[in-house]
Amino acid sequence: INIDQLYKKAISYNKLAAQELIKNNKKFKIFKLFFSPKWYFFKSYFLKFGFLDGKYGYLIAKNMALGCFIKNTELYKLTRELS
């Protein structure tokens, strides 16, 4: 498996998560688009001691934040399509 396949799979899972949020009547909130990824990074890197893993911990935390951002942008797109 290479990095491109990994990102494609992560994007598809985040799109599915956004669709699930729509099914559960969750609405898009603009502040979540900007603050949730930062919170995910902070939680993964500092609170879960990702910094102890060096660059790998940083990359994992960064990918967690990216996944959160993708999920929220997809939720935004789906919300706009429904309205």
Side-chain angles (χ1 to χ4, degrees):
I1 195 164
N2 63 22
I3 195 76
D4 290 332
Q5 292 171 332
L6 187 64
Y7 276 118
K8 286 178 184 176
K9 188 175 277 197
I11 289 170
S12 67
Y13 284 138
N14 284 306
K15 286 182 178 182
L16 288 173
Q19 291 171 356
E20 198 63 33
L21 289 172
I22 289 288
K23 285 181 189 174
N24 293 331
N25 295 321
K26 298 289 182 183
K27 300 291 180 193
F28 170 77
K29 295 179 178 126
I30 191 76
F31 69 90
K32 279 193 157 194
L33 180 65
F34 296 107
F35 294 113
S36 286
K38 292 174 179 148
W39 169 248
Y40 270 78
F41 178 84
F42 179 80
K43 185 171 75 171
S44 180
Y45 193 66
F46 293 107
L47 299 181
K48 293 188 176 183
F49 301 103
F51 60 88
L52 294 177
D53 295 326
K55 69 178 179 181
Y56 297 112
Y58 175 77
L59 291 174
I60 290 169
K62 192 169 181 175
N63 284 330
M64 294 283 291
L66 178 63
C68 179
F69 182 77
I70 292 168
K71 180 181 71 177
N72 283 313
T73 54
E74 190 64 28
L75 181 61
Y76 173 69
K77 279 186 358 187
L78 292 172
T79 303
R80 287 201 45 158
E81 288 174 4
L82 294 175
S83 45

